[in-house]
């Protein structure tokens, strides 16, 4: 039997379904172009209508956004009890808001960066595309097997 015959079938999510799922979690991965190479950073975010907001400090993310504001942002979730998973990808442009902006003060009540201090920049991702997939996990995927055990089994 071929892998694609037993693999879970993905369902394509509507834009509205994607935004609903994005509202249910607050951690995602920001993909930017750093010195001509892709790089990915975990960030916590909030929704503002149909855009995403996150706070960050000076550094690699801000430098990359200043060089090329085109970004991708990915969020996913796996529910092993229900045997379901989903993934949403937002592609668009990142806009940096100044540290004295009223938006930063309004948004910071709901945005608490993991490192807490030095996160004076508010970044808004304005989407060009929002796509998503959901699927039911194969029964073997829902087993509670640690990553180490899965790797060891694959090598044996």
């Amino acid at each position: 039997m071929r892998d694609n015959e037993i693999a879970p079938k993905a369902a394509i999510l509507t834009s509205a379904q994607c935004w609903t799922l994005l509202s249910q979690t607050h951690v995602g991965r920001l993909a930017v172009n750093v010195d001509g190479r892709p790089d990915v950073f975990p960030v916590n975010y909030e929704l503002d209508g149909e855009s995403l907001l996150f706070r960050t400090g000076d550094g690699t993310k801000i430098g990359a956004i200043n060089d090329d504001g085109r970004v991708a942002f990915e969020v996913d979730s796996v529910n092993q009890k229900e045997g379901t998973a989903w993934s949403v990808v937002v592609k668009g442009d990142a806009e940096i808001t100044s540290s004295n902006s009223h938006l930063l003060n309004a948004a910071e009540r709901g945005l608490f960066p993991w490192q807490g201090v030095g996160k004076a920049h508010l970044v808004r991702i304005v989407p060009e595309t929002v796509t998503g997939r959901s699927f039911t996990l194969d029964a073997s995927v829902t087993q509670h097997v640690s990553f180490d055990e899965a790797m060891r089994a694959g090598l044996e």
Side-chain angles (χ1 to χ4, degrees):
M1 188 178 297
R2 296 185 339 214
D3 285 347
N4 63 353
E5 292 174 356
I6 60 171
K9 301 291 185 235
I12 297 173
L13 301 172
T14 66
S15 179
Q17 290 171 317
C18 290
W19 286 108
T20 297
L21 292 170
L22 288 169
S23 73
Q24 295 174 1
T25 186
H26 299 283
V27 177
R29 285 160 295 286
L30 174 72
V32 295
N33 189 5
V34 178
D35 297 327
R37 300 184 64 92
D39 209 344
V40 177
F41 300 90
V43 297
N44 59 319
Y45 70 95
E46 292 290 331
L47 295 184
D48 183 31
E50 289 193 350
S51 65
L52 296 106
L53 298 172
F54 67 92
R55 289 175 59 187
T56 192
D58 293 329
T60 306
K61 290 186 289 290
I62 289 295
I65 291 168
N66 280 328
D67 289 343
D68 180 356
R70 294 175 297 168
V71 299
F73 194 82
E74 192 267 344
V75 179
D76 54 38
S77 180
V78 175
N79 184 327
Q80 288 186 336
K81 288 183 181 179
E82 293 184 15
T84 59
W86 59 265
S87 179
V88 172
V89 176
V90 176
K91 294 178 184 176
D93 294 313
E95 302 172 349
I96 301 169
T97 301
S98 67
S99 60
N100 61 1
S101 168
H102 73 282
L103 284 175
L104 177 60
N105 292 331
E108 68 185 354
R109 285 178 284 225
L111 285 171
F112 302 102
W114 293 335
Q115 293 175 315
V117 296
K119 306 296 183 186
H121 300 287
L122 181 69
V123 178
R124 177 185 302 276
I125 299 175
V126 179
E128 291 177 10
T129 63
V130 179
T131 59
R133 305 281 185 274
S134 68
F135 52 92
T136 301
L137 300 174
D138 178 88
S140 64
V141 177
T142 61
Q143 303 285 328
H144 294 285
V145 176
S146 73
F147 181 72
D148 288 341
E149 291 173 3
M151 287 300 295
R152 190 171 36 256
L155 297 173
E156 293 175 348

